[in-house]
Amino acid sequence: MSVVPSLTEFEQAAQSLAEVISHTPTLPSRALSDALGAPVLLKMENLQRTGSFKIRGAAYRLSKLSAEERSRGVVAASAGNHAQGVALAAQALGIPATIFMPIGVPVPKLLATRGYGAEVVLEGETVATSLRLAAEFATRTGAMMIHPFDHRDVVIGQGTLGLELLEDAPEVDTVVLGIGGGGLIAGVAAAVKARAAELGRTVRVIGVQAENAAAMPPSLAAGEPVDIVTRPTIADGILVARPGAIPFEIIKDLVDEVVTVSDDDLARAILVLLEQAKVIVEPAGAAGVAAILAGKVTATGTTMAVLSGGNIDPLLLQRVVSHGLAASGRYLTIRIPMPDRPGQLARVSELIAEAGANVIEAMHTRHGHGLQITEVILELSVETRGPEHSEHTLDTLRRAGFEPMLVPD
């Protein structure tokens, strides 16, 4: 059996999942089209059941289990989206499910997983630790391990999204989506390329990784999956230190390009989607949009960005929006030393108002920062309309004799 699933396998999986998943909308984005210089469509998989594409692979994998395997229960490890997919699919099939999740998992994902009836074990700091613990649990109890990406049935289930992409937009030339372990992009690339070939067309597939967890470029260079040391990233959904062996075999032949984006890029993408498309997307789900906005995608025709998930902690969303505003030059924190005499605070406020900016938060202190007895520090968080307006606001303060200093975000 070829590691690359056939078009028939994807079609059969789509039929099998028809009563389980939703056919999510595909909508145009004027803002992203303007940014790319070509039509951009958004595949709204953030509106999928459980809030992400993961239900596709999880449900199809569980549907292929034998009656004897189902009786042993299933176990999985995940930072959230795969956990919810496995939990819901197991609940629908009456299969006991145990899910290992890292201690720092976002609360909404934790609560949703428990809400679908799974037993959740919180242990370890990373998904890698959760995967190890889940594997040990499977060995100890006989439960079936449901890997989040490194299984052919999971890849086939995720690939049903590729069929939807071309059904919704047969004219699409490029598909851009995030990469974690590789299950989604492997399935989508195989399904899209096979369907496009049937239609006599070619479609580019571009993968996007968070630069702090980019295991795919070195793996492609080495010709095999390699481990990397990851660094913290807001994109917890694609924070994977080593690509899956099965997805990698597909990716190395069928994915045309892999690019990386920063957390600033991801925050900016979430903000643009929130403001322009009126949709909420988690950082990993915004990877494709981040690549477009960061200039990492070259326009060759209609481009589709997959919004692969929308499960974001409201507290993280609050921080990400602030970070996105800062990354877009629309939010700055400035520190202003000034003489400790009446009227200075009012004068600074007047100047910022004259510049057309808005003070969000202010802190006035006489302590620390190496201050003299006759000095104070005023620290302001200011909202502006963009980089030019930010610079105008700073210049307004400088012309009045103040010395504003930017505080890194």
Side-chain angles (χ1 to χ4, degrees):
M1 179 185 296
S2 169
V3 68
V4 180
S6 67
L7 184 57
T8 299
E9 288 179 287
F10 287 120
E11 290 171 338
Q12 290 174 344
Q15 292 176 357
S16 170
L17 295 174
E19 300 301 318
V20 179
I21 64 173
S22 301
H23 186 124
T24 51
T26 296
L27 301 175
S29 170
R30 180 180 298 176
L32 291 171
S33 298
D34 290 344
L36 185 62
V40 174
L41 303 173
L42 300 174
K43 179 60 172 173
M44 316 287 279
E45 196 68 0
N46 58 309
L47 302 180
Q48 184 57 260
R49 293 187 69 184
T50 73
S52 91
F53 71 94
K54 287 287 190 176
I55 183 64
R56 296 174 182 269
Y60 188 63
R61 172 80 173 95
L62 265 63
S63 75
K64 304 290 282 185
L65 297 178
S66 67
E68 188 275 331
E69 289 171 331
R70 294 183 187 189
S71 69
R72 288 150 50 189
V74 297
V75 60
S78 168
N81 287 340
H82 178 61
Q84 292 175 73
V86 171
L88 178 59
Q91 184 184 61
L93 294 171
I95 302 174
T98 302
I99 311 292
F100 286 80
M101 305 181 82
I103 292 173
V105 66
V107 173
K109 294 181 180 182
L110 169 63
L111 296 179
T113 303
R114 285 177 172 160
Y116 292 130
E119 179 181 346
V120 176
V121 180
L122 288 175
E123 191 171 347
E125 300 296 328
T126 66
V127 175
T129 300
S130 297
L131 280 167
R132 176 178 57 79
L133 294 171
E136 292 172 357
F137 180 90
T139 300
R140 187 169 65 251
T141 65
M144 293 297 298
M145 176 72 174
I146 308 300
H147 199 280
F149 49 82
D150 206 7
H151 193 281
R152 197 169 182 275
D153 287 340
V154 172
V155 171
I156 293 172
Q158 315 299 30
T160 60
L161 177 60
L163 300 183
E164 282 189 26
L165 299 183
L166 286 184
E167 182 180 341
D168 292 349
E171 76 281 9
V172 72
D173 292 291
T174 302
V175 177
V176 189
L177 65 164
I179 305 179
L184 175 63
I185 196 168
V188 167
V192 163
K193 301 258 181 179
R195 178 68 85 201
E198 186 181 68
L199 299 173
R201 302 186 60 246
T202 59
V203 176
R204 283 194 310 161
V205 177
I206 299 176
V208 186
Q209 290 204 292
E211 62 183 25
N212 286 353
M216 194 59 69
S219 295
L220 291 171
E224 62 182 4
V226 298
D227 288 287
I228 65 164
V229 177
T230 62
R231 291 174 291 161
T233 173
I234 59 173
D236 63 288
I238 51 176
L239 179 58
V240 178
R242 180 187 178 94
I246 291 172
F248 180 81
E249 289 302 308
I250 300 171
I251 292 167
K252 68 184 179 64
D253 293 328
L254 296 184
V255 172
D256 297 277
E257 187 179 0
V258 176
V259 300
T260 62
V261 293
S262 68
D263 275 13
D264 279 355
D265 295 330
L266 292 164
R268 189 181 303 114
I270 291 171
L271 182 63
V272 168
L273 288 166
L274 188 61
E275 288 190 318
Q276 303 295 332
K278 315 305 180 192
V279 296
I280 296 175
V281 181
E282 64 187 273
V289 172
I292 291 172
L293 293 173
K296 302 293 183 71
V297 177
T298 302
T300 59
T302 300
T303 297
M304 182 171 300
V306 177
L307 308 184
S308 57
N311 295 315
I312 184 169
D313 187 319
L315 294 176
L316 175 60
L317 178 60
Q318 182 181 32
R319 297 198 302 272
V320 166
V321 168
S322 296
H323 198 85
L325 287 169
S328 302
R330 293 168 51 192
Y331 186 92
L332 64 158
T333 301
I334 53 179
R335 187 174 292 150
I336 309 171
M338 61 179 63
D340 186 9
R341 60 172 182 261
Q344 294 297 292
L345 177 58
R347 178 59 178 148
V348 168
S349 298
E350 289 173 359
L351 290 167
I352 291 175
E354 287 174 12
N358 185 37
V359 175
I360 303 299
E361 190 174 21
M363 183 183 73
H364 183 271
T365 181
R366 295 180 172 86
H367 307 291
H369 304 289
L371 293 175
Q372 302 297 318
I373 294 176
T374 58
E375 292 179 320
V376 297
I377 284 285
L378 177 63
E379 189 165 295
L380 301 173
S381 296
V382 180
E383 183 182 20
T384 69
R385 295 188 294 273
E388 291 184 4
H389 189 210
S390 293
E391 190 57 38
H392 170 67
T393 301
L394 293 172
D395 284 341
T396 299
L397 291 167
R398 292 183 187 117
R399 286 195 300 269
F402 294 100
E403 298 178 2
M405 297 174 289
L406 280 176
V407 178
D409 180 60

